[in-house]
Amino acid sequence: MNSSKNPIYDYFNRPLRDLRISVTDKCNFRCTYCMPAEIFGPDYPFLKRKELLSYEEIERLAKIFVSSLGVQKIRITGGEPLMRKDLPSLIRKLNEIEGVEDIAMTTNGSLLPKYAKELRAAGLNRVSISLDSLQDEVFGKINGRGVTVQTVIDGIDAAAEAGLKVKINMVVKRGMNDHEIVPMAKFFREKGHILRFIEFMDVGNTNKWNLKDVYSKKEIIEDIHKIMPLEPIEPNYTGEVATRYRYQGANDEIGVISSVSDAFCSTCNRARLSANGMLYTCLFASKGHDLREPIRSDLSNDELTELLENIWFKRDDKYSLERSETSATRKKIEMSHIGG
Ligand code: SAM
Ligand code: SF4
Ligand code: SF4
């Protein structure tokens, strides 16, 4: 058993460094590319309270991941993580774990005006806030709930004022919002936040993904470069998912997450824990490993460590390197279950 803080390595020699924890599968938005309203309607069987891992259970697992498997970073996600009651108390527990270097959260931003200060005080360092458009008409359609752009901007401002480091995520889908790449780049350059463009991905089976709808990294960079010339820059660390570019002659930057056109599986060091305690070793996994049953039985921490090590040792995922027309239709876990 690996009892040090050294990472463990999978079948392709990739360490485990980054744990993403989804705390709920519910959301107050219905983004068309993630939780289309016609499928995630009033009768959709969302997880019941007793099915969710409790904060104590999440804390116990996180401690093992950090102390025995080499995890250094934790990201909280959802669904919309701020829909889960008293999230700051979970952040506080995670922040007390020795060895955690960074706690981040991905959010749609709508509830940040209410919670940003409390989250920062609890030990949250960074937030990635999702915003796909600067036009209410376009954004309201994308989020499926008519939420205004200003609602998210208020969340962004509240996070920055609370002292959280802020990045913005924009999913780009051809014909949906590719015309807003340059306006978004200009807006967030002026505002002083790093904007990251995300290629539309074939996560889950409900978002009608089609390769033709993917607006590629190359196209995104070309669009911006024509107006504001860019140059590539080195990654901050091995395994960084976004390719970084700097505006020429300046210090500000953007990033592109190109899971479809330029896969980064060879450095993928992430594991994902769903709200009901399933561990997924790939965003595009068809099945996960149940940790809720073992954690609710009498398993000791050593036995749990061994179980987790065995899952990671056997991990041979490289979905994005092997993506094909047929793999896109294979049964896969939904984004709202594992949180991106
Ligand atoms: N609700 C939060 C939010 O929207 O930021 C957290 C969960 S959401 C599933 C995490 C990230 O995944 C968001 O930035 C979202 O835009 C992105 N996302 C969801 N579905 C996607 C898809 N099909 N392709 C690319 N990114 C996607
Ligand atoms: Fe909700 Fe985030 Fe999915 Fe949009 S992307 S539906 S905000 S979980
Ligand atoms: Fe990691 Fe799977 Fe994405 Fe490849 S496809 S980068 S293995 S999550």
Side-chain angles (χ1 to χ4, degrees):
M1 201 199 325
N2 178 7
S3 56
S4 73
K5 282 177 193 159
N6 292 328
I8 56 161
Y9 291 87
D10 71 4
Y11 182 78
F12 293 125
N13 214 23
R14 297 169 295 189
L16 173 54
R17 288 301 194 192
D18 184 338
L19 178 65
R20 298 177 171 219
I21 304 172
S22 170
V23 292
T24 178
D25 60 338
K26 296 201 177 88
C27 187
N28 51 346
F29 288 16
R30 284 294 177 274
C31 302
T32 50
Y33 52 74
C34 178
M35 296 177 79
E38 63 276 17
I39 290 164
F40 293 84
D43 299 328
Y44 187 81
F46 288 104
L47 294 169
K48 297 187 182 66
R49 204 169 187 290
K50 64 176 188 309
E51 294 178 279
L52 300 177
L53 290 186
S54 68
Y55 286 169
E56 288 69 28
E57 288 168 335
I58 293 176
E59 181 191 15
R60 183 174 169 209
L61 285 171
K63 269 188 184 152
I64 296 174
F65 273 107
V66 173
S67 64
S68 303
L69 287 107
V71 164
Q72 295 169 327
K73 295 179 175 188
I74 294 180
R75 176 172 293 271
I76 303 298
T77 178
E80 173 46 43
L82 291 173
M83 298 279 285
R84 177 100 181 236
K85 214 172 145 199
D86 199 14
L87 192 66
S89 73
L90 174 65
I91 305 283
R92 213 168 296 123
K93 285 182 199 298
L94 298 175
N95 194 37
E96 278 163 12
I97 300 176
E98 198 187 322
V100 177
E101 291 178 6
D102 185 37
I103 306 179
M105 179 173 73
T106 309
T107 170
N108 64 30
S110 60
L111 297 169
L112 278 174
K114 192 167 168 197
Y115 293 116
K117 273 198 191 128
E118 218 186 317
L119 290 163
R120 178 72 195 111
L124 188 71
N125 302 319
R126 298 186 294 123
V127 277
S128 299
I129 303 173
S130 306
L131 180 64
D132 303 324
S133 168
L134 290 172
Q135 294 174 38
D136 277 338
E137 212 191 316
V138 179
F139 186 54
K141 269 190 206 147
I142 295 175
N143 68 52
R145 287 283 192 258
V147 179
T148 62
V149 174
Q150 192 57 47
T151 306
V152 181
I153 304 269
D154 288 346
I156 294 169
D157 291 344
E161 273 160 33
L164 290 160
K165 290 186 193 133
V166 174
K167 282 187 185 150
I168 313 299
N169 282 348
M170 172 185 183
V171 174
V172 184
K173 185 177 164 193
R174 193 180 304 283
M176 176 180 89
N177 61 346
D178 51 295
H179 60 289
E180 291 208 57
I181 291 169
V182 173
M184 284 280 289
K186 279 186 180 160
F187 183 82
F188 284 108
R189 188 178 181 188
E190 251 166 54
K191 225 169 155 47
H193 297 311
I194 296 176
L195 172 60
R196 296 189 314 177
F197 301 91
I198 308 179
E199 289 179 352
F200 176 39
M201 295 186 284
D202 51 332
V203 191
N205 302 95
T206 60
N207 67 8
K208 300 196 179 110
W209 185 86
N210 189 313
L211 188 57
K212 291 192 200 82
D213 295 332
V214 177
Y215 203 81
S216 70
K217 170 165 86 177
K218 186 168 174 287
E219 292 172 287
I220 293 168
I221 293 307
E222 276 171 8
D223 286 358
I224 301 173
H225 186 75
K226 273 186 224 149
I227 312 292
M228 298 182 284
L230 292 165
E231 59 194 8
I233 44 177
E234 290 296 309
N236 285 308
Y237 52 87
T238 315
E240 188 171 33
V241 292
T243 318
R244 299 168 66 209
Y245 297 84
R246 182 169 38 213
Y247 293 108
Q248 284 179 20
N251 256 338
D252 35 8
E253 63 180 85
I254 56 156
V256 186
I257 301 174
S258 57
S259 167
V260 182
S261 73
D262 188 9
F264 38 81
C265 300
S266 60
T267 56
C268 180
N269 55 14
R270 292 173 292 282
R272 295 172 161 89
L273 181 63
S274 71
N276 60 345
M278 298 293 284
L279 185 73
Y280 295 91
T281 56
C282 178
L283 186 53
F284 303 93
S286 298
K287 61 179 176 49
H289 307 265
D290 180 25
L291 301 184
R292 190 181 62 195
E293 202 276 322
I295 203 173
R296 287 184 186 173
S297 62
D298 289 338
L299 244 58
S300 67
N301 282 354
D302 281 352
E303 285 167 320
L304 274 171
T305 305
E306 209 165 317
L307 176 81
L308 296 174
E309 282 175 353
N310 281 330
I311 294 171
W312 195 260
F313 286 148
K314 289 190 192 127
R315 175 193 192 235
D316 61 358
D317 307 283
K318 48 181 166 78
Y319 180 88
S320 285
L321 284 172
E322 296 166 338
R323 180 183 279 106
S324 66
E325 292 292 327
T326 44
S327 61
T329 55
R330 195 186 76 195
K331 176 105 187 76
K332 285 176 268 132
I333 186 74
E334 288 299 319
M335 186 66 125
S336 52
H337 272 262
I338 48 175

